[in-house]
Amino acid sequence: MGVEEIETYAETYARSLRDPAGFWASEAERVPWFRAPTRMLEQDEQGVWRWFTDGEMNTAYVALDQHVDAGRGDQLALIYDSPVTSTIQRLSFRELRDRTARVAGGLRQLGVEKGDVVVIYMPMIPETVIAMLACARIGAVHSVVFGGFAANELAMRIDDAKPRVILAASCGIEVQRIIPYQPLLNRALEVAEHRPEHVVMFERPQCPVEWLADRDLEWLSWEQASQPVECVSLGATDPLYILYTSGTTGKPKGIVRDHGGHAVALNYSMRAIYGVGPDDVFWAASDVGWVVGHSYIVYGPLFAGCTTLLYEGKPVQTPDAGAFWRVLAEHRVNSFFVAPTAFRAIRKEDPDCTLRKQYDLSSLRYQFVAGERLDPPTYLWLQEQLQVPIIDHWWQTETGWPICANMAGLALLETKAGSCTLPVPGWDLKILDEAGRELGPGEEGAIVVKAPLPPGALPTVWGDHQRYLASYWDDYPGFYQTGDGGYRDEDGYVFVMGRTDDVINVAGHRLSTGRMEEIVAAHEAVAECAVVGRADAEKGQVPLGLVILKNDVKVGGRALRDDLVSAVRQGIGPIANFRESVIVKRLPKTRSGKILRKVIRNMVDGERYQIPSTIDDPEILSELHQELLDQGVIGDK
Ligand code: COA
Ligand code: AMP
């Protein structure tokens, strides 16, 4: 790496901003279209910039059929490695295409048409990938719900997305624990107002289904009885999927992704960012329920003709902290992507990484991390353990692919601990202060991106365009607000320091403290509460509840805490990791009554905080500080 790489990067980045339509038109030539676009970039009637508007294509064709048609049908498309069921299964592009075509036919027989929504509530098994691609094949819009969410969260998504059909599996498996999905689904359907017409259940041997004769279809016989169908031709701007993510309020936001821009952007990212191409093995150790799973377990690698790895296991305990090294070696993985929290879990169990020495990791070229801030100690530990570039890159459900990265396939630059390097071509990134003025090197502010966003980024929020505008565009007109804060150094390197809103990141899972507050506040003893993210050495952040009791209530702290833990587990799911709450007398607020969550967050993390001029009663801060000290929440410093 040197001057040449910097010039290559700088020239490409500048070109992408100078002539976005030209830049992406040449990338669009690399994906197969049924009708090639002639209009690259234009604003729709709502003023949203849309890509490739007159192009026609099909995402499942890009992922599967194009490779079969090009004579690569026998190449491996997917390796399913499941230590929790002791299974390894391999599917070629042809096999995956053929099963997808049948499932697509089965959906069509159930009446699913272009534009209909299908909710997928399934774990990390090949049928989940097939379900997503089958929806794409017929133009149905899939919405995958992560298995760690409780029935209520599933119900909210069902009511918002209004699926015609639900595809589900009988269980997920957490190390050795079977998590039956059917009771969760049944409960969600009791709570939800919307009724799907059909439920197709995939019965796993680990957990039998209790069939409801008038509702459920059995997956395998349904798939076998179906006629395979071809890919339909879809508009580039037709929706491919909805993926719900946590926002500031309790109600999840349905992020919409379209077909054309998504395919072009992800295909570009595989080559330019991840440095892989056909026949390479790509592994993202995430879950299909998250955006990383959508983009880099399912779509990106398959678009690029790579073999993708679907891993149903954990970094530790399945069976030990050598699990990742075993998978990397056994399947000759070339590019690996995981959340830092997973490496922190490995480091805790095996600090010297002795288990790694049992495996041959010579196939590995790059180690990518994202999903949360890569803390410098984890970065340095990884650098010591793996003899490949460690690449921190930053992005979000909304963007669908990286905003900042060190681009392995374009020009690898020098890395800096704590930085996700530089903006990826297409993303015109700025750091602004509250008044919308651009900040200089080292000055921390809101990270925003100037419109138009590149292909692949969200064009709207499902069923609520106003929310899209209010959440992302209203604060800084003309700029997309990422919700993250940070700064650039004198070389332009980007340092993402954390969310500026009420979203927290727990073990790589994005969660809303607003939703937790709704649940905590609903407890009969609670008058008012605030939930904030608190720094955690392993999980990055964990939630902490601060609770004010109603006047006449006498309840022990422990009993209340147990109640609240169980309410949040029931309401959101175990992944919320809500384990701690403290009773306090008062919460600091502004004169208009808004709780000063940022100040509380800084206080519980032992950081310096500024007393805002809008504070109602500054004395509450010292009172709260003392209460947190007395209850052992913060140390005495
Ligand atoms: N279905 C059901 N329950 C789930 C689940 C799922 N898919 N995923 C997690 N849970 C449960 C866990 O079993 C645990 O339950 P418990 O409280 O009863 O023990 C709880 O949710 C909390 O899980 P988690 O926060 O993941 O902690 P953990 O200690 O089980 O695992 C890690 C810690 C680091 C190993 C794990 O969080 C991990 O692998 N994280 C990577 C996250 C990731 O890939 N994110 C995607 C963005 S890149
Ligand atoms: P999600 O939408 O679940 O992918 O979560 C996106 C959020 O995770 C971002 O807005 C950031 O707050 C955080 N995030 C993701 N990647 C990084 C990274 N590399 N560095 C810092 N924060 C990150």
Side-chain angles (χ1 to χ4, degrees), residues 146-148 174 177 179 181 285-287 290 292 314-316 339 341-342 345 370-371 507-509 539 569 574-575 577 579:
F146 177 62
E174 282 291 294
R177 208 153 34 102
I179 314 282
Y181 280 9
S286 177
D287 189 288
W290 305 115
V292 177
K314 298 274 173 185
V316 292
T341 190
H509 308 310
K539 302 205 170 184
R569 278 182 85 91
I575 50 156
N577 275 287
R579 301 212 161 94

PDB file of all heavy atoms in Angstrom, residues 146-148 174 177 179 181 285-287 290 292 314-316 339 341-342 345 370-371 507-509 539 569 574-575 577 579, ligand 1:
ATOM      1  N   PHE A 146     -36.160 -12.124  12.593  1.00  0.00           N
ATOM      2  CA  PHE A 146     -35.107 -12.812  13.352  1.00  0.00           C
ATOM      3  C   PHE A 146     -35.723 -13.694  14.447  1.00  0.00           C
ATOM      4  O   PHE A 146     -36.642 -13.265  15.157  1.00  0.00           O
ATOM      5  CB  PHE A 146     -34.188 -11.745  13.966  1.00  0.00           C
ATOM      6  CG  PHE A 146     -33.105 -12.282  14.843  1.00  0.00           C
ATOM      7  CD1 PHE A 146     -32.137 -13.133  14.331  1.00  0.00           C
ATOM      8  CD2 PHE A 146     -33.036 -11.942  16.189  1.00  0.00           C
ATOM      9  CE1 PHE A 146     -31.120 -13.624  15.142  1.00  0.00           C
ATOM     10  CE2 PHE A 146     -32.024 -12.423  17.008  1.00  0.00           C
ATOM     11  CZ  PHE A 146     -31.065 -13.268  16.477  1.00  0.00           C
ATOM     12  N   GLY A 147     -35.185 -14.915  14.590  1.00  0.00           N
ATOM     13  CA  GLY A 147     -35.747 -15.898  15.520  1.00  0.00           C
ATOM     14  C   GLY A 147     -35.616 -15.529  16.990  1.00  0.00           C
ATOM     15  O   GLY A 147     -36.319 -16.091  17.829  1.00  0.00           O
ATOM     16  N   GLY A 148     -34.734 -14.596  17.316  1.00  0.00           N
ATOM     17  CA  GLY A 148     -34.561 -14.243  18.729  1.00  0.00           C
ATOM     18  C   GLY A 148     -35.611 -13.270  19.230  1.00  0.00           C
ATOM     19  O   GLY A 148     -35.612 -12.907  20.397  1.00  0.00           O
ATOM     20  N   GLU A 174     -30.327 -22.957  19.880  1.00  0.00           N
ATOM     21  CA  GLU A 174     -29.339 -22.113  20.547  1.00  0.00           C
ATOM     22  C   GLU A 174     -28.379 -23.021  21.299  1.00  0.00           C
ATOM     23  O   GLU A 174     -28.697 -23.502  22.386  1.00  0.00           O
ATOM     24  CB  GLU A 174     -30.039 -21.167  21.528  1.00  0.00           C
ATOM     25  CG  GLU A 174     -30.704 -19.987  20.857  1.00  0.00           C
ATOM     26  CD  GLU A 174     -29.674 -19.032  20.277  1.00  0.00           C
ATOM     27  OE1 GLU A 174     -28.911 -18.405  21.043  1.00  0.00           O
ATOM     28  OE2 GLU A 174     -29.640 -18.949  19.035  1.00  0.00           O
ATOM     29  N   ARG A 177     -30.008 -25.806  23.145  1.00  0.00           N
ATOM     30  CA  ARG A 177     -31.382 -25.532  23.524  1.00  0.00           C
ATOM     31  C   ARG A 177     -32.254 -25.427  22.281  1.00  0.00           C
ATOM     32  O   ARG A 177     -31.931 -24.686  21.356  1.00  0.00           O
ATOM     33  CB  ARG A 177     -31.409 -24.211  24.284  1.00  0.00           C
ATOM     34  CG  ARG A 177     -32.508 -24.045  25.278  1.00  0.00           C
ATOM     35  CD  ARG A 177     -32.086 -23.064  26.390  1.00  0.00           C
ATOM     36  NE  ARG A 177     -31.228 -21.984  25.938  1.00  0.00           N
ATOM     37  CZ  ARG A 177     -31.641 -20.733  25.708  1.00  0.00           C
ATOM     38  NH1 ARG A 177     -32.903 -20.403  25.888  1.00  0.00           N
ATOM     39  NH2 ARG A 177     -30.789 -19.799  25.317  1.00  0.00           N
ATOM     40  N   ILE A 179     -35.404 -23.994  20.498  1.00  0.00           N
ATOM     41  CA  ILE A 179     -36.344 -22.877  20.677  1.00  0.00           C
ATOM     42  C   ILE A 179     -37.537 -23.150  19.753  1.00  0.00           C
ATOM     43  O   ILE A 179     -37.456 -22.875  18.544  1.00  0.00           O
ATOM     44  CB  ILE A 179     -35.718 -21.520  20.257  1.00  0.00           C
ATOM     45  CG1 ILE A 179     -34.302 -21.329  20.818  1.00  0.00           C
ATOM     46  CG2 ILE A 179     -36.643 -20.354  20.578  1.00  0.00           C
ATOM     47  CD1 ILE A 179     -34.216 -20.924  22.264  1.00  0.00           C
ATOM     48  N   TYR A 181     -40.497 -22.600  17.556  1.00  0.00           N
ATOM     49  CA  TYR A 181     -41.022 -21.374  16.946  1.00  0.00           C
ATOM     50  C   TYR A 181     -42.552 -21.384  16.886  1.00  0.00           C
ATOM     51  O   TYR A 181     -43.173 -20.337  16.801  1.00  0.00           O
ATOM     52  CB  TYR A 181     -40.506 -21.223  15.508  1.00  0.00           C
ATOM     53  CG  TYR A 181     -39.099 -20.671  15.387  1.00  0.00           C
ATOM     54  CD1 TYR A 181     -38.272 -20.502  16.497  1.00  0.00           C
ATOM     55  CD2 TYR A 181     -38.595 -20.317  14.144  1.00  0.00           C
ATOM     56  CE1 TYR A 181     -36.982 -20.004  16.360  1.00  0.00           C
ATOM     57  CE2 TYR A 181     -37.314 -19.813  13.990  1.00  0.00           C
ATOM     58  CZ  TYR A 181     -36.509 -19.661  15.106  1.00  0.00           C
ATOM     59  OH  TYR A 181     -35.242 -19.159  14.959  1.00  0.00           O
ATOM     60  N   ALA A 285     -20.603 -14.503   9.224  1.00  0.00           N
ATOM     61  CA  ALA A 285     -21.124 -15.242  10.381  1.00  0.00           C
ATOM     62  C   ALA A 285     -22.139 -14.364  11.106  1.00  0.00           C
ATOM     63  O   ALA A 285     -21.893 -13.861  12.188  1.00  0.00           O
ATOM     64  CB  ALA A 285     -19.992 -15.636  11.312  1.00  0.00           C
ATOM     65  N   SER A 286     -23.267 -14.165  10.449  1.00  0.00           N
ATOM     66  CA  SER A 286     -24.334 -13.375  11.052  1.00  0.00           C
ATOM     67  C   SER A 286     -25.587 -14.244  11.061  1.00  0.00           C
ATOM     68  O   SER A 286     -25.487 -15.461  11.172  1.00  0.00           O
ATOM     69  CB  SER A 286     -24.511 -12.102  10.216  1.00  0.00           C
ATOM     70  OG  SER A 286     -25.568 -11.322  10.698  1.00  0.00           O
ATOM     71  N   ASP A 287     -26.743 -13.637  10.923  1.00  0.00           N
ATOM     72  CA  ASP A 287     -27.994 -14.391  10.884  1.00  0.00           C
ATOM     73  C   ASP A 287     -28.835 -13.807   9.747  1.00  0.00           C
ATOM     74  O   ASP A 287     -28.830 -12.586   9.540  1.00  0.00           O
ATOM     75  CB  ASP A 287     -28.733 -14.235  12.221  1.00  0.00           C
ATOM     76  CG  ASP A 287     -29.938 -15.162  12.325  1.00  0.00           C
ATOM     77  OD1 ASP A 287     -30.957 -14.909  11.641  1.00  0.00           O
ATOM     78  OD2 ASP A 287     -29.865 -16.148  13.080  1.00  0.00           O
ATOM     79  N   TRP A 290     -30.877 -10.502  10.032  1.00  0.00           N
ATOM     80  CA  TRP A 290     -30.299  -9.155  10.049  1.00  0.00           C
ATOM     81  C   TRP A 290     -29.883  -8.759   8.648  1.00  0.00           C
ATOM     82  O   TRP A 290     -29.747  -9.596   7.763  1.00  0.00           O
ATOM     83  CB  TRP A 290     -29.072  -9.096  10.971  1.00  0.00           C
ATOM     84  CG  TRP A 290     -29.309  -9.554  12.373  1.00  0.00           C
ATOM     85  CD1 TRP A 290     -28.759 -10.639  12.972  1.00  0.00           C
ATOM     86  CD2 TRP A 290     -30.167  -8.952  13.361  1.00  0.00           C
ATOM     87  NE1 TRP A 290     -29.200 -10.749  14.275  1.00  0.00           N
ATOM     88  CE2 TRP A 290     -30.064  -9.732  14.531  1.00  0.00           C
ATOM     89  CE3 TRP A 290     -30.998  -7.828  13.368  1.00  0.00           C
ATOM     90  CZ2 TRP A 290     -30.758  -9.425  15.697  1.00  0.00           C
ATOM     91  CZ3 TRP A 290     -31.688  -7.531  14.526  1.00  0.00           C
ATOM     92  CH2 TRP A 290     -31.572  -8.319  15.674  1.00  0.00           C
ATOM     93  N   VAL A 292     -26.984  -7.962   7.596  1.00  0.00           N
ATOM     94  CA  VAL A 292     -25.735  -8.615   7.180  1.00  0.00           C
ATOM     95  C   VAL A 292     -26.057  -9.965   6.540  1.00  0.00           C
ATOM     96  O   VAL A 292     -25.461 -10.365   5.534  1.00  0.00           O
ATOM     97  CB  VAL A 292     -24.774  -8.795   8.377  1.00  0.00           C
ATOM     98  CG1 VAL A 292     -23.515  -9.537   7.950  1.00  0.00           C
ATOM     99  CG2 VAL A 292     -24.411  -7.445   8.978  1.00  0.00           C
ATOM    100  N   LYS A 314     -22.383 -20.934  16.980  1.00  0.00           N
ATOM    101  CA  LYS A 314     -21.918 -19.757  17.708  1.00  0.00           C
ATOM    102  C   LYS A 314     -20.399 -19.696  17.606  1.00  0.00           C
ATOM    103  O   LYS A 314     -19.758 -20.685  17.257  1.00  0.00           O
ATOM    104  CB  LYS A 314     -22.306 -19.882  19.195  1.00  0.00           C
ATOM    105  CG  LYS A 314     -23.796 -19.951  19.441  1.00  0.00           C
ATOM    106  CD  LYS A 314     -24.401 -18.582  19.538  1.00  0.00           C
ATOM    107  CE  LYS A 314     -25.913 -18.678  19.611  1.00  0.00           C
ATOM    108  NZ  LYS A 314     -26.577 -17.391  19.594  1.00  0.00           N
ATOM    109  N   PRO A 315     -19.821 -18.559  17.974  1.00  0.00           N
ATOM    110  CA  PRO A 315     -18.356 -18.498  17.981  1.00  0.00           C
ATOM    111  C   PRO A 315     -17.741 -19.346  19.098  1.00  0.00           C
ATOM    112  O   PRO A 315     -16.601 -19.775  19.008  1.00  0.00           O
ATOM    113  CB  PRO A 315     -18.060 -17.011  18.218  1.00  0.00           C
ATOM    114  CG  PRO A 315     -19.342 -16.377  18.638  1.00  0.00           C
ATOM    115  CD  PRO A 315     -20.463 -17.257  18.232  1.00  0.00           C
ATOM    116  N   VAL A 316     -18.513 -19.536  20.158  1.00  0.00           N
ATOM    117  CA  VAL A 316     -18.033 -20.352  21.283  1.00  0.00           C
ATOM    118  C   VAL A 316     -19.119 -21.392  21.591  1.00  0.00           C
ATOM    119  O   VAL A 316     -20.255 -21.229  21.153  1.00  0.00           O
ATOM    120  CB  VAL A 316     -17.792 -19.481  22.545  1.00  0.00           C
ATOM    121  CG1 VAL A 316     -16.612 -18.546  22.330  1.00  0.00           C
ATOM    122  CG2 VAL A 316     -19.035 -18.656  22.897  1.00  0.00           C
ATOM    123  N   ALA A 339     -19.176  -9.843  13.447  1.00  0.00           N
ATOM    124  CA  ALA A 339     -19.271  -8.715  14.380  1.00  0.00           C
ATOM    125  C   ALA A 339     -18.169  -8.842  15.443  1.00  0.00           C
ATOM    126  O   ALA A 339     -17.882  -9.941  15.908  1.00  0.00           O
ATOM    127  CB  ALA A 339     -20.640  -8.706  15.048  1.00  0.00           C
ATOM    128  N   THR A 341     -18.138  -8.423  18.519  1.00  0.00           N
ATOM    129  CA  THR A 341     -18.568  -9.078  19.760  1.00  0.00           C
ATOM    130  C   THR A 341     -18.252 -10.578  19.746  1.00  0.00           C
ATOM    131  O   THR A 341     -17.922 -11.164  20.777  1.00  0.00           O
ATOM    132  CB  THR A 341     -20.080  -8.814  19.990  1.00  0.00           C
ATOM    133  OG1 THR A 341     -20.430  -9.242  21.276  1.00  0.00           O
ATOM    134  CG2 THR A 341     -20.953  -9.500  18.975  1.00  0.00           C
ATOM    135  N   ALA A 342     -18.313 -11.188  18.573  1.00  0.00           N
ATOM    136  CA  ALA A 342     -18.029 -12.622  18.473  1.00  0.00           C
ATOM    137  C   ALA A 342     -16.560 -12.881  18.800  1.00  0.00           C
ATOM    138  O   ALA A 342     -16.227 -13.851  19.490  1.00  0.00           O
ATOM    139  CB  ALA A 342     -18.369 -13.117  17.076  1.00  0.00           C
ATOM    140  N   ALA A 345     -15.996 -12.681  22.453  1.00  0.00           N
ATOM    141  CA  ALA A 345     -16.410 -13.921  23.127  1.00  0.00           C
ATOM    142  C   ALA A 345     -15.318 -14.982  22.993  1.00  0.00           C
ATOM    143  O   ALA A 345     -15.019 -15.708  23.949  1.00  0.00           O
ATOM    144  CB  ALA A 345     -17.730 -14.417  22.532  1.00  0.00           C
ATOM    145  N   ALA A 370     -17.932  -5.635  11.267  1.00  0.00           N
ATOM    146  CA  ALA A 370     -18.904  -4.522  11.300  1.00  0.00           C
ATOM    147  C   ALA A 370     -20.046  -4.917  12.218  1.00  0.00           C
ATOM    148  O   ALA A 370     -20.075  -6.018  12.756  1.00  0.00           O
ATOM    149  CB  ALA A 370     -19.442  -4.221   9.911  1.00  0.00           C
ATOM    150  N   GLY A 371     -20.987  -4.000  12.354  1.00  0.00           N
ATOM    151  CA  GLY A 371     -22.160  -4.271  13.186  1.00  0.00           C
ATOM    152  C   GLY A 371     -22.113  -3.449  14.454  1.00  0.00           C
ATOM    153  O   GLY A 371     -23.127  -3.191  15.084  1.00  0.00           O
ATOM    154  N   ALA A 507     -24.394  -6.905  21.616  1.00  0.00           N
ATOM    155  CA  ALA A 507     -23.843  -8.114  20.995  1.00  0.00           C
ATOM    156  C   ALA A 507     -24.131  -8.131  19.489  1.00  0.00           C
ATOM    157  O   ALA A 507     -24.514  -9.145  18.930  1.00  0.00           O
ATOM    158  CB  ALA A 507     -24.412  -9.371  21.669  1.00  0.00           C
ATOM    159  N   GLY A 508     -23.947  -6.973  18.856  1.00  0.00           N
ATOM    160  CA  GLY A 508     -24.157  -6.897  17.406  1.00  0.00           C
ATOM    161  C   GLY A 508     -25.624  -6.860  17.016  1.00  0.00           C
ATOM    162  O   GLY A 508     -25.950  -6.889  15.837  1.00  0.00           O
ATOM    163  N   HIS A 509     -26.541  -6.804  17.991  1.00  0.00           N
ATOM    164  CA  HIS A 509     -27.968  -6.728  17.683  1.00  0.00           C
ATOM    165  C   HIS A 509     -28.457  -5.306  17.918  1.00  0.00           C
ATOM    166  O   HIS A 509     -28.290  -4.759  19.001  1.00  0.00           O
ATOM    167  CB  HIS A 509     -28.786  -7.673  18.575  1.00  0.00           C
ATOM    168  CG  HIS A 509     -28.294  -9.086  18.579  1.00  0.00           C
ATOM    169  ND1 HIS A 509     -28.033  -9.782  17.439  1.00  0.00           N
ATOM    170  CD2 HIS A 509     -28.029  -9.939  19.598  1.00  0.00           C
ATOM    171  CE1 HIS A 509     -27.618 -11.008  17.754  1.00  0.00           C
ATOM    172  NE2 HIS A 509     -27.598 -11.123  19.056  1.00  0.00           N
ATOM    173  N   LYS A 539     -20.261  -7.447  25.254  1.00  0.00           N
ATOM    174  CA  LYS A 539     -21.354  -7.237  24.294  1.00  0.00           C
ATOM    175  C   LYS A 539     -21.360  -5.842  23.666  1.00  0.00           C
ATOM    176  O   LYS A 539     -22.280  -5.506  22.927  1.00  0.00           O
ATOM    177  CB  LYS A 539     -22.694  -7.528  24.961  1.00  0.00           C
ATOM    178  CG  LYS A 539     -22.739  -8.955  25.503  1.00  0.00           C
ATOM    179  CD  LYS A 539     -24.101  -9.535  25.639  1.00  0.00           C
ATOM    180  CE  LYS A 539     -23.941 -11.028  25.954  1.00  0.00           C
ATOM    181  NZ  LYS A 539     -25.142 -11.778  26.036  1.00  0.00           N
ATOM    182  N   ARG A 569     -38.081  -9.756  28.239  1.00  0.00           N
ATOM    183  CA  ARG A 569     -37.874 -11.025  27.506  1.00  0.00           C
ATOM    184  C   ARG A 569     -39.138 -11.414  26.764  1.00  0.00           C
ATOM    185  O   ARG A 569     -39.096 -11.870  25.626  1.00  0.00           O
ATOM    186  CB  ARG A 569     -37.488 -12.152  28.479  1.00  0.00           C
ATOM    187  CG  ARG A 569     -36.034 -12.184  28.860  1.00  0.00           C
ATOM    188  CD  ARG A 569     -35.745 -13.352  29.775  1.00  0.00           C
ATOM    189  NE  ARG A 569     -35.487 -14.582  29.052  1.00  0.00           N
ATOM    190  CZ  ARG A 569     -34.276 -14.980  28.676  1.00  0.00           C
ATOM    191  NH1 ARG A 569     -33.220 -14.248  28.949  1.00  0.00           N
ATOM    192  NH2 ARG A 569     -34.111 -16.120  28.032  1.00  0.00           N
ATOM    193  N   PRO A 574     -35.148 -12.566  24.249  1.00  0.00           N
ATOM    194  CA  PRO A 574     -33.941 -12.677  25.080  1.00  0.00           C
ATOM    195  C   PRO A 574     -32.790 -11.828  24.559  1.00  0.00           C
ATOM    196  O   PRO A 574     -31.942 -11.380  25.328  1.00  0.00           O
ATOM    197  CB  PRO A 574     -33.599 -14.172  25.019  1.00  0.00           C
ATOM    198  CG  PRO A 574     -34.318 -14.708  23.823  1.00  0.00           C
ATOM    199  CD  PRO A 574     -35.533 -13.856  23.656  1.00  0.00           C
ATOM    200  N   ILE A 575     -32.762 -11.568  23.239  1.00  0.00           N
ATOM    201  CA  ILE A 575     -31.621 -10.817  22.693  1.00  0.00           C
ATOM    202  C   ILE A 575     -31.539  -9.391  23.218  1.00  0.00           C
ATOM    203  O   ILE A 575     -30.519  -8.733  23.051  1.00  0.00           O
ATOM    204  CB  ILE A 575     -31.624 -10.758  21.151  1.00  0.00           C
ATOM    205  CG1 ILE A 575     -32.977 -10.309  20.633  1.00  0.00           C
ATOM    206  CG2 ILE A 575     -31.159 -12.042  20.541  1.00  0.00           C
ATOM    207  CD1 ILE A 575     -32.880  -9.708  19.271  1.00  0.00           C
ATOM    208  N   ASN A 577     -31.173  -8.628  26.132  1.00  0.00           N
ATOM    209  CA  ASN A 577     -30.172  -8.647  27.204  1.00  0.00           C
ATOM    210  C   ASN A 577     -30.481  -7.634  28.302  1.00  0.00           C
ATOM    211  O   ASN A 577     -29.576  -7.020  28.870  1.00  0.00           O
ATOM    212  CB  ASN A 577     -28.779  -8.354  26.630  1.00  0.00           C
ATOM    213  CG  ASN A 577     -28.107  -9.593  26.087  1.00  0.00           C
ATOM    214  OD1 ASN A 577     -27.671 -10.449  26.836  1.00  0.00           O
ATOM    215  ND2 ASN A 577     -28.057  -9.708  24.768  1.00  0.00           N
ATOM    216  N   ARG A 579     -31.050  -6.921  31.754  1.00  0.00           N
ATOM    217  CA  ARG A 579     -30.834  -7.676  32.992  1.00  0.00           C
ATOM    218  C   ARG A 579     -30.757  -6.776  34.217  1.00  0.00           C
ATOM    219  O   ARG A 579     -30.830  -7.253  35.326  1.00  0.00           O
ATOM    220  CB  ARG A 579     -29.529  -8.478  32.902  1.00  0.00           C
ATOM    221  CG  ARG A 579     -29.528  -9.454  31.738  1.00  0.00           C
ATOM    222  CD  ARG A 579     -28.736 -10.720  32.008  1.00  0.00           C
ATOM    223  NE  ARG A 579     -29.141 -11.753  31.064  1.00  0.00           N
ATOM    224  CZ  ARG A 579     -28.529 -11.997  29.912  1.00  0.00           C
ATOM    225  NH1 ARG A 579     -27.479 -11.309  29.569  1.00  0.00           N
ATOM    226  NH2 ARG A 579     -28.965 -12.956  29.117  1.00  0.00           N
TER     227      ARG A 579
HETATM  228  N1  COA B   1     -33.121 -17.326  18.652  1.00  0.00           N
HETATM  229  C1  COA B   1     -33.493 -17.418  19.941  1.00  0.00           C
HETATM  230  N2  COA B   1     -32.775 -16.909  20.954  1.00  0.00           N
HETATM  231  C2  COA B   1     -31.631 -16.283  20.637  1.00  0.00           C
HETATM  232  C3  COA B   1     -31.179 -16.137  19.318  1.00  0.00           C
HETATM  233  C4  COA B   1     -31.979 -16.706  18.298  1.00  0.00           C
HETATM  234  N3  COA B   1     -31.642 -16.618  17.017  1.00  0.00           N
HETATM  235  N4  COA B   1     -30.010 -15.454  19.334  1.00  0.00           N
HETATM  236  C5  COA B   1     -29.727 -15.195  20.615  1.00  0.00           C
HETATM  237  N5  COA B   1     -30.706 -15.698  21.395  1.00  0.00           N
HETATM  238  C6  COA B   1     -30.772 -15.686  22.860  1.00  0.00           C
HETATM  239  C7  COA B   1     -29.564 -16.353  23.486  1.00  0.00           C
HETATM  240  O1  COA B   1     -29.739 -17.738  23.561  1.00  0.00           O
HETATM  241  C8  COA B   1     -29.533 -15.703  24.857  1.00  0.00           C
HETATM  242  O2  COA B   1     -30.544 -16.304  25.636  1.00  0.00           O
HETATM  243  P1  COA B   1     -30.432 -16.400  27.240  1.00  0.00           P
HETATM  244  O3  COA B   1     -30.534 -14.993  27.763  1.00  0.00           O
HETATM  245  O4  COA B   1     -31.625 -17.222  27.602  1.00  0.00           O
HETATM  246  O5  COA B   1     -29.132 -17.047  27.535  1.00  0.00           O
HETATM  247  C9  COA B   1     -29.986 -14.282  24.579  1.00  0.00           C
HETATM  248  O6  COA B   1     -30.715 -14.343  23.332  1.00  0.00           O
HETATM  249  C10 COA B   1     -28.870 -13.288  24.452  1.00  0.00           C
HETATM  250  O7  COA B   1     -28.092 -13.657  23.333  1.00  0.00           O
HETATM  251  P2  COA B   1     -26.730 -12.956  22.917  1.00  0.00           P
HETATM  252  O8  COA B   1     -26.779 -11.521  23.263  1.00  0.00           O
HETATM  253  O9  COA B   1     -26.452 -13.297  21.504  1.00  0.00           O
HETATM  254  O10 COA B   1     -25.667 -13.548  23.898  1.00  0.00           O
HETATM  255  P3  COA B   1     -24.997 -14.965  23.979  1.00  0.00           P
HETATM  256  O11 COA B   1     -24.224 -14.931  25.233  1.00  0.00           O
HETATM  257  O12 COA B   1     -25.970 -16.052  23.748  1.00  0.00           O
HETATM  258  O13 COA B   1     -23.959 -14.954  22.739  1.00  0.00           O
HETATM  259  C11 COA B   1     -22.319 -13.996  21.253  1.00  0.00           C
HETATM  260  C12 COA B   1     -22.937 -13.977  22.654  1.00  0.00           C
HETATM  261  C13 COA B   1     -21.280 -12.901  21.168  1.00  0.00           C
HETATM  262  C14 COA B   1     -21.696 -15.345  21.021  1.00  0.00           C
HETATM  263  C15 COA B   1     -23.432 -13.755  20.226  1.00  0.00           C
HETATM  264  O14 COA B   1     -24.154 -12.631  20.603  1.00  0.00           O
HETATM  265  C16 COA B   1     -22.975 -13.566  18.805  1.00  0.00           C
HETATM  266  O15 COA B   1     -22.538 -14.475  18.133  1.00  0.00           O
HETATM  267  N6  COA B   1     -23.147 -12.333  18.307  1.00  0.00           N
HETATM  268  C17 COA B   1     -22.897 -11.984  16.945  1.00  0.00           C
HETATM  269  C18 COA B   1     -24.073 -11.150  16.519  1.00  0.00           C
HETATM  270  C19 COA B   1     -24.219 -10.992  15.049  1.00  0.00           C
HETATM  271  O16 COA B   1     -23.800 -11.798  14.271  1.00  0.00           O
HETATM  272  N7  COA B   1     -24.879  -9.911  14.693  1.00  0.00           N
HETATM  273  C20 COA B   1     -25.199  -9.613  13.341  1.00  0.00           C
HETATM  274  C21 COA B   1     -24.691  -8.281  12.946  1.00  0.00           C
HETATM  275  S1  COA B   1     -23.137  -8.469  12.105  1.00  0.00           S
END
